[in-house]
């Protein structure tokens, strides 16, 4: 019997994957149709975003975590064989072992995911969190963004993260009103929707101030700033923070 082809091809790249333990004449692949379906679905929908935090539960032999290594995934598994397979397949493909974090079911994934973030951006809708995250991700920073909505309780983890990692994105009411009205027009909706209403905007900005006050992190006014300008302010802050820690 011929040796089974061990190369998995996906939109995220081609990788050589082996099952564990290794056998001389392997008859089963280290990934399955479900892995291929998930990877195809993510690629078709342009996911994950550069700022995404990714948790994979029970990744058999690394078919998902190896392919998605650029997104620094956390894998939860209690299988010793899976842990060994992921480690070996990362090594086989020349990928740094710390590109994937493996934990067991007794560990809290939130605490691990939060520790992996270099920068946490916090702000109301339309304060450029996503494009900023993408820009900073291209600079090799791991970025999370947290949208603030008064009707939704923010994740409790943001109060436990090192405030030095957090940056609040502030915007004045007139600027936010203008941006949101333009967004509604682009979507073919009336610009009189509550989303762009003065009262709704003020409630969100007040809520932002309340949350940021509890976190105690620095705030950047993005009202009149381009993405690159805001990113440079953030990077300057991050670099100073690292210098202070050293």
């Amino acid at each position: 019997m011929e040796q089974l082809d061990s190369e998995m091809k996906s939109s995220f790249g081609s990788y050589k994957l082996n099952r564990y333990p290794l056998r001389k004449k392997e008859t089963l692949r280290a990934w399955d149709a479900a892995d291929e379906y998930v990877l195809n679905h993510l690629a078709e929908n342009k996911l994950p975003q550069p700022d995404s935090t990714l948790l994979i539960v029970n990744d058999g032999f690394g078919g998902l975590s190896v392919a998605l290594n650029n997104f620094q995934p956390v894998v939860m598994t209690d299988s010793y064989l899976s842990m060994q397979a992921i480690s070996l397949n990362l090594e086989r493909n020349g990928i740094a072992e710390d590109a994937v974090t493996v934990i067991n079911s007794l560990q809290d994934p939130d605490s691990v995911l939060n520790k992996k973030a270099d920068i946490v951006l916090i702000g109301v809708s339309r304060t450029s969190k996503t494009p900023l995250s993408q820009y900073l991700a291209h600079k090799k920073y791991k970025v999370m963004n947290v949208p603030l909505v008064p009707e939704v309780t923010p994740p409790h983890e943001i109060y436990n993260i090192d405030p030095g990692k957090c940056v609040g994105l502030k915007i004045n009411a007139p600027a936010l009103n203008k941006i949101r009205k333009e967004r509604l027009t682009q979507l073919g909706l009336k610009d009189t929707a509550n989303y762009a209403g003065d009262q709704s905007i003020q409630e969100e900005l007040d809520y932002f101030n309340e949350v940021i006050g509890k976190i105690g992190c620095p705030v950047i006014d993005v009202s009149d700033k381009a993405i690159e300008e805001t990113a440079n302010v953030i990077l300057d802050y991050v670099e100073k923070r690292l210098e202070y820690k050293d």
Side-chain angles (χ1 to χ4, degrees), residues 45-201:
N45 290 277
K46 298 181 180 179
L47 297 171
Q49 293 293 325
D51 60 322
S52 298
T53 51
L54 189 60
L55 174 65
I56 303 171
V57 181
N58 293 332
D59 185 22
F61 299 100
L64 294 176
S65 56
V66 172
L68 298 170
N69 74 87
N70 285 328
F71 300 95
Q72 303 283 310
V74 172
V75 178
M76 178 184 285
T77 180
D78 288 322
S79 168
Y80 172 78
L81 296 182
S82 291
M83 294 178 184
Q84 293 301 306
I86 292 170
S87 177
L88 290 172
N89 282 324
L90 287 171
E91 182 180 359
R92 187 180 187 198
N93 289 279
I95 301 169
E97 191 167 0
D98 62 2
V100 176
T101 301
V102 181
I103 63 174
N104 61 51
S105 60
L106 297 179
Q107 294 175 272
D108 179 8
D110 283 333
S111 63
V112 178
L113 290 168
N114 289 333
K115 286 178 182 177
K116 290 171 72 69
D118 297 316
I119 303 169
V120 180
L121 302 179
I122 305 170
V124 301
S125 173
R126 313 314 297 178
T127 47
S128 303
K129 294 183 300 298
T130 297
L132 273 170
S133 297
Q134 294 171 336
Y135 185 95
L136 293 168
H138 285 302
K139 299 289 185 181
K140 305 303 181 183
Y141 286 95
K142 302 169 190 172
V143 186
M144 293 175 61
N145 79 58
V146 180
L148 294 182
V149 182
E151 296 80 11
V152 180
T153 302
H156 66 86
E157 290 83 12
I158 67 171
Y159 299 113
N160 299 323
I161 301 173
D162 176 3
K165 290 185 175 184
C166 301
V167 177
L169 302 177
K170 178 182 178 181
I171 187 170
N172 63 50
L176 185 56
N177 176 270
K178 182 174 182 292
I179 292 171
R180 289 190 174 181
K181 282 186 175 181
E182 291 174 350
R183 179 58 175 163
L184 288 170
T185 300
Q186 291 172 357
L187 295 173
L189 302 173
K190 294 182 178 180
D191 65 8
T192 54
N194 188 52
Y195 175 69
D198 292 338
Q199 181 178 346
S200 176
I201 285 176

Side-chain angles (χ1 to χ4, degrees), residues 231-242:
N232 286 333
V233 175
I234 294 172
L235 291 175
D236 183 58
Y237 167 72
V238 170
E239 290 170 2
K240 287 181 179 178
R241 185 192 79 204
L242 293 175

Side-chain angles (χ1 to χ4, degrees), residues 33-45:
D35 293 329
E36 293 176 342
Y37 176 82
V38 169
L39 293 173
N40 287 336
H41 175 78
L42 291 173
E44 288 172 2
N45 290 277

